[in-house]
Amino acid sequence: MWKKRIQFVAWSMLAALVVVLLVAAVQKKNSLRCREVHVEIEGAEEHVFVDEKHLLKQLEKMGADSGAAINSIKLRWLETKIERDAWIKNAELYFDNNRVLQVKIEERQPLARVFTVSGSSFYIDSAGTRLPLSERQSARVPVFTSFPSDRTRLAGADSVLLLEVKMIAQTIARDSFWTDLVSQVDITPQRTYQMIPQLGNQTIVLGTADNLDDKLTRLYSFYRQVWAKAGFEKYERIDVQYAGQVVATRKGAAAAVADSAKALQQLNTSIAQANSLGAGAIPALPSVPGQAATAKRDTANATGAARRAAVRQTANPPKPSGNNRPAGRRPRAVMPGRH
């Protein structure tokens, strides 16, 4: 009986001693001084928008400095303060066994720079978060122009537009070929997109952001098969907005297309005049997008036909209706060149 009591007392005293020693150890550790502050920045591969020296100065102002008592440094409070920086995605602070304050920073990665119609600009990251410009650094990322709003909280249509900008920028960033090639993406008033490459002076028409991977695949095939042979300076416009095709316009071809359209208009006017003289129903030539080459060829054929019709109308005026119609050859309907 006495032995059990002695053992119980002994174990109780031993447990109390252990508790006292632990408390003393903790108090001693808390009363120790921070030996050093070590900052590690992760997340940004090329751009460092969080400056280590600037961050150390901020920590010093908030009482987290080498020489400060460990128990006076409030780690959770410091993390919350640090994460208020728009460029810091996450912050973790802790002391290691050597009394070194470890500061782990995850920096946001800029994905694109967006210029609004008013001239202001901001960055966005992979989460679509708007990031302010930095006085210390600028990122080499694709530039998007003519974004319609400066507001921080966007309306529904503008919010969707910014999501499309993020998606296009992510697609460009996934491939080093497009990263090196694309310098600027213009947003049109119709909320479609046009790319401006680094090399040459061309406009690449993407249309909407739908099926972007397919559009870029066709564009890449065009580069390999055609552009490599013709050179970068041969074309001024490349259109990949329509499924299954690439429409390339050589420099100077735009004027020829405009002249062709003007010729078609003049031809239709001549045909209308011939119809008014009784030459028969002659259909007007349509203006169909994407058929500029055909229209140009048909213009030459149809213009000649219209001239021949005019000559025939002059030499053989149309017969008047009724029994008093004089003898003469009936004028034929002149059809434009085939389509």
Side-chain angles (χ1 to χ4, degrees):
M1 186 71 179
W2 287 101
K3 289 182 179 180
K4 289 184 178 180
R5 290 182 177 179
I6 293 173
Q7 288 177 353
F8 176 77
V9 172
W11 281 110
S12 299
M13 292 177 64
L14 180 61
L17 180 61
V18 170
V19 172
V20 171
L21 290 175
L22 288 175
V23 172
V26 171
Q27 289 179 347
K28 181 179 180 181
K29 182 178 180 180
N30 288 338
S31 64
L32 295 176
R33 301 290 176 175
C34 174
R35 292 179 56 188
E36 184 183 354
V37 179
H38 179 261
V39 176
E40 182 177 346
I41 301 174
E42 301 176 346
E45 298 178 358
E46 298 180 4
H47 322 293
V48 181
F49 286 85
V50 180
D51 184 69
E52 181 177 345
K53 293 181 179 179
H54 178 72
L55 182 59
L56 286 172
K57 288 182 179 179
Q58 284 185 314
L59 290 170
E60 183 179 355
K61 290 179 180 179
M62 293 183 287
D65 190 19
S66 57
I70 292 177
N71 60 355
S72 68
I73 299 176
K74 301 176 182 179
L75 300 180
R76 302 284 84 81
W77 179 77
L78 288 172
E79 289 176 353
T80 303
K81 286 288 188 180
I82 292 173
E83 288 175 355
R84 290 182 179 178
D85 188 325
W87 281 100
I88 296 179
K89 186 177 182 179
N90 186 47
E92 292 184 5
L93 282 72
Y94 62 90
F95 281 100
D96 62 15
N97 294 330
N98 296 320
R99 291 179 287 144
V100 175
L101 177 58
Q102 299 289 344
V103 182
K104 304 288 186 181
I105 300 297
E106 183 180 359
E107 183 184 36
R108 294 187 183 276
Q109 178 72 40
L111 192 63
R113 184 170 180 177
V114 181
F115 282 84
T116 67
V117 289
S118 65
S120 63
S121 66
F122 56 89
Y123 290 105
I124 60 171
D125 68 352
S126 58
T129 303
R130 295 177 62 149
L131 305 172
L133 302 184
S134 172
E135 297 179 355
R136 298 183 294 271
Q137 290 281 354
S138 61
R140 184 180 175 273
V141 292
V143 171
F144 287 75
T145 65
S146 301
F147 189 77
S149 177
D150 290 294
R151 296 180 179 179
T152 303
R153 293 185 178 181
L154 299 175
D158 293 337
S159 178
V160 171
L161 188 65
L162 189 62
L163 288 176
E164 291 181 350
V165 168
K166 183 194 75 171
M167 185 269 289
I168 295 174
Q170 286 177 324
T171 303
I172 293 173
R174 284 200 302 263
D175 194 317
S176 59
F177 177 81
W178 300 118
T179 302
D180 294 337
L181 181 72
V182 179
S183 63
Q184 180 176 320
V185 179
D186 296 330
I187 303 173
T188 70
Q190 294 75 32
R191 296 177 180 252
T192 59
Y193 302 92
Q194 297 180 349
M195 292 196 312
I196 308 298
Q198 297 271 15
L199 298 176
N201 187 23
Q202 296 81 32
T203 299
I204 301 170
V205 181
L206 294 177
T208 66
D210 298 333
N211 304 317
L212 183 61
D213 288 333
D214 176 65
K215 293 174 182 179
L216 293 182
T217 298
R218 282 185 275 120
L219 180 59
Y220 182 73
S221 298
F222 174 79
Y223 284 153
R224 293 191 61 183
Q225 298 176 15
V226 179
W227 200 320
K229 298 178 182 179
F232 284 98
E233 301 300 328
K234 296 292 184 180
Y235 299 95
E236 64 181 3
R237 180 182 173 91
I238 304 172
D239 192 332
V240 295
Q241 63 180 316
Y242 302 113
Q245 61 179 307
V246 177
V247 180
T249 305
R250 287 179 175 268
K251 288 188 175 181
V257 172
D259 292 343
S260 176
K262 185 176 180 181
L264 285 174
Q265 183 179 4
Q266 293 174 348
L267 174 61
N268 286 330
T269 302
S270 299
I271 291 173
Q273 293 174 352
N275 284 336
S276 66
L277 295 176
I282 303 177
L285 293 180
S287 177
V288 181
Q291 294 185 349
T294 303
K296 183 179 179 181
R297 181 194 64 211
D298 291 346
T299 300
N301 296 336
T303 302
R307 289 175 178 174
R308 290 193 296 272
V311 172
R312 284 195 295 270
Q313 293 298 328
T314 303
N316 302 289
K319 300 176 181 180
S321 60
N323 297 327
N324 297 326
R325 184 172 54 188
R329 189 174 59 179
R330 183 179 181 182
R332 295 180 301 166
V334 180
M335 303 299 292
R338 64 181 180 86
H339 294 277

